[in-house]
Amino acid sequence: MAKCKFCGQPVKAAPVFHPACWEQRANKVMEEFCDEYCRFPREIEDHDNLIEHCSECVAAELLRMGGNEV
């Protein structure tokens, strides 16, 4: 039986999707979020500093929860 990634308790059913489909959809949503809603790509000119900021982003954390690394 599958266990919850957060609390560790058993779950009767897990979300059903292919990992590649998750990755494709998550990347598309994240790209739209970053382009349309995040102010930091416009404010931080240095690429390395931007990448450092993005690695701490809560939206990127959501992607990591699904198994995708940002």
Side-chain angles (χ1 to χ4, degrees):
M1 182 174 276
K3 292 185 178 185
C4 175
K5 287 184 176 185
F6 302 106
C7 71
Q9 298 296 317
V11 293
K12 292 183 182 184
V16 178
F17 50 78
H18 299 105
C21 293
W22 161 261
E23 184 175 350
Q24 180 181 17
R25 175 66 130 207
N27 284 333
K28 180 180 176 187
V29 169
M30 191 68 187
E31 183 177 325
E32 182 176 333
F33 173 80
C34 293
D35 290 347
E36 300 296 326
Y37 301 102
C38 184
R39 70 178 205 243
F40 293 104
R42 292 182 291 278
E43 292 180 6
I44 300 175
E45 293 181 12
D46 181 55
H47 181 13
D48 291 338
N49 287 340
L50 179 61
I51 296 301
E52 182 178 335
H53 171 78
C54 293
S55 69
E56 298 172 1
C57 176
V58 294
E61 173 93 14
L62 287 172
L63 287 178
R64 288 190 291 272
M65 284 181 197
N68 187 7
E69 290 298 320
V70 173

